[in-house]
Amino acid sequence: MLDQILNNLRVISLPTKTDFRGINTREVALIEGPSGWGEFSPFLEYDEYESVPWLVSAIESATQPKPPVFRKVIPINATLPAINGREAIADVLSWYPGASVIKIKAGKDLKEDFARIAHAHEIAPDAKIRLDVNGLWNVEEALEFIYAFYDEYDEELLEYIEQPCRSLEELRELKEACMMPVLIAGDEVIRKAEDPFDIDLEEAIDILMLKVAPLGGVQRSLAIAEHHGLPAVVSSALDSAVGVGYGIRLAAALPKLDFACGLGTGQLLAADVANLPIENGVIKVGDVTPSEVSMIEYEASAERTQWWQDRIRKTWKVGASEIITEMGWHW
């Protein structure tokens, strides 16, 4: 199968509209297979071991039948990067027409975080707020923020905080100490776990954050959700439309979906390989086929394509091949 993957590989370099995770260009490797397209796009700093589930997800998307779905549209949240200034924030929020939830990056500077929240709430007063901290706070800092937030705003405004602290132990300590009705979503504690099935999430988090590529595809993500039995939110990892489209498939395949999903992140790209329009706060479920014109226009250099081919070979060798064999998947 490795030869087919490499022979059907297109590496694309997409510019972003804002600085997101410190990057302004998103490189992705797209694979065309018998069931459509898959995306392999672990961030550049990830080694081949952390990249294994990303490759498994891409192969599943390209070679396996699509899962049955429970819904035809997926509600999405607006995603607000760690930017400052009312005008800039209003511009970003305008990219998400009809979104009733705003996910705000936070955790690096308390004063800037609260200014960002204030601007977003002023611009969209009816929208709920969720915060993504990426584990940057310790327990004391998380409590300081939570109490300050509830001093300033009605408790109904804050939907949840995603990964306020890094470890499960810290999250349990936070939930035990916090006297406010805040919900905690777990992201890194799930997708960076050695075995997402073999972790005890009790009294640590209230909501699962599912990202299809880092978790190894739709089938495995659904199994993780069923195993833990918690409400789930599906989010992307700044994927191209191909990767986002597969995340939308996961969200559509969940038996229950109580929250808007972080699957509108294509709006953070200045260019993409396909169009996934947001209409009235939702994105339609469907197959995503990248535009040949866009793939030619944003094709990466020969050197970068070679780099991604080598990365796939390494990732295949350290674990992806074994998983694909166990799954019995064929091209």
Side-chain angles (χ1 to χ4, degrees):
M1 184 182 285
L2 180 59
D3 288 341
Q4 287 98 326
I5 293 169
L6 296 175
N7 289 337
N8 289 276
L9 189 71
R10 306 285 293 274
V11 179
I12 312 298
S13 181
L14 300 170
T16 64
K17 293 178 183 176
T18 66
D19 186 316
F20 190 86
R21 291 182 87 259
I23 62 176
N24 51 35
T25 302
R26 183 70 167 114
E27 282 188 346
V28 303
L30 304 180
I31 303 164
E32 185 179 15
S35 291
W37 288 83
E39 176 172 329
F40 176 66
S41 58
F43 293 103
L44 300 184
E45 67 269 23
Y46 290 6
D47 66 19
E48 56 265 36
Y49 295 94
E50 189 168 0
S51 300
V52 166
W54 297 69
L55 184 56
V56 173
S57 178
I59 293 169
E60 180 191 64
S61 177
T63 66
Q64 300 305 299
K66 299 299 185 285
V69 299
F70 291 94
R71 53 197 64 86
K72 295 181 179 179
V73 297
I74 304 299
I76 57 94
N77 63 247
T79 299
L80 183 60
I83 60 173
N84 301 308
R86 189 186 188 285
E87 185 176 343
I89 290 170
D91 183 41
V92 171
L93 295 183
S94 72
W95 304 340
Y96 302 89
S100 60
V101 182
I102 303 171
K103 174 178 174 176
I104 301 176
K105 286 286 185 179
K108 291 187 176 180
D109 185 292
L110 191 66
K111 183 177 180 181
E112 290 184 358
D113 291 343
F114 271 100
R116 198 173 300 121
I117 292 166
H119 288 315
H121 185 49
E122 179 185 341
I123 294 162
D126 295 328
K128 288 199 169 187
I129 299 293
R130 57 177 64 160
L131 301 170
D132 184 6
V133 183
N134 293 118
L136 293 175
W137 291 332
N138 60 35
V139 174
E140 183 179 341
E141 290 168 333
L143 289 170
E144 178 186 1
F145 177 91
I146 290 168
Y147 288 126
F149 184 95
Y150 283 111
D151 280 344
E152 182 75 19
Y153 298 105
D154 184 89
E155 67 179 40
E156 297 298 320
L157 177 63
L158 183 61
E159 189 175 51
Y160 62 74
I161 302 179
E162 179 181 332
Q163 200 70 47
C165 305
R166 183 173 299 275
S167 69
L168 280 172
E169 291 75 17
E170 288 176 306
L171 293 175
R172 286 195 188 92
E173 184 181 343
L174 173 61
K175 290 205 51 88
E176 182 178 0
C178 186
M179 297 294 105
M180 306 306 294
V182 61
L183 297 177
I184 303 299
D187 177 14
E188 284 87 349
V189 291
I190 301 162
R191 64 181 172 88
K192 289 185 176 289
E194 185 174 343
D195 183 354
F197 294 93
D198 189 28
I199 50 175
D200 181 7
L201 300 178
E202 188 174 357
E203 299 182 354
I205 67 171
D206 306 287
I207 300 164
L208 291 172
M209 182 62 61
L210 301 177
K211 294 183 176 179
V212 66
L215 291 177
V218 168
Q219 293 183 33
R220 192 163 185 259
S221 297
L222 291 173
I224 290 169
E226 182 179 10
H227 175 78
H228 290 293
L230 293 173
V233 178
V234 180
S235 189
S236 78
L238 197 62
D239 312 307
S240 80
V242 172
V244 170
Y246 206 46
I248 291 170
R249 284 283 181 183
L250 169 58
L254 284 168
K256 190 175 183 181
L257 188 67
D258 295 323
F259 296 95
C261 291
L263 293 167
T265 52
Q267 302 303 311
L268 300 174
L269 298 174
D272 207 340
V273 294
N275 186 28
L276 291 174
I278 299 170
E279 298 178 358
N280 299 317
V282 302
I283 299 179
K284 293 180 180 178
V285 179
D287 294 332
V288 177
T289 301
S291 157
E292 182 64 27
V293 172
S294 295
M295 287 195 292
I296 292 172
E297 182 174 359
Y298 297 103
E299 184 176 13
S301 67
E303 291 78 12
R304 294 306 300 164
T305 297
Q306 182 65 55
W307 185 89
W308 279 91
Q309 289 173 338
D310 292 341
R311 189 183 199 190
I312 288 173
R313 290 187 182 96
K314 293 176 184 177
T315 304
W316 178 263
K317 182 178 180 180
V318 301
S321 173
E322 181 178 352
I323 293 172
I324 299 306
T325 301
E326 290 176 356
M327 298 299 294
W329 294 346
H330 302 284
W331 192 270

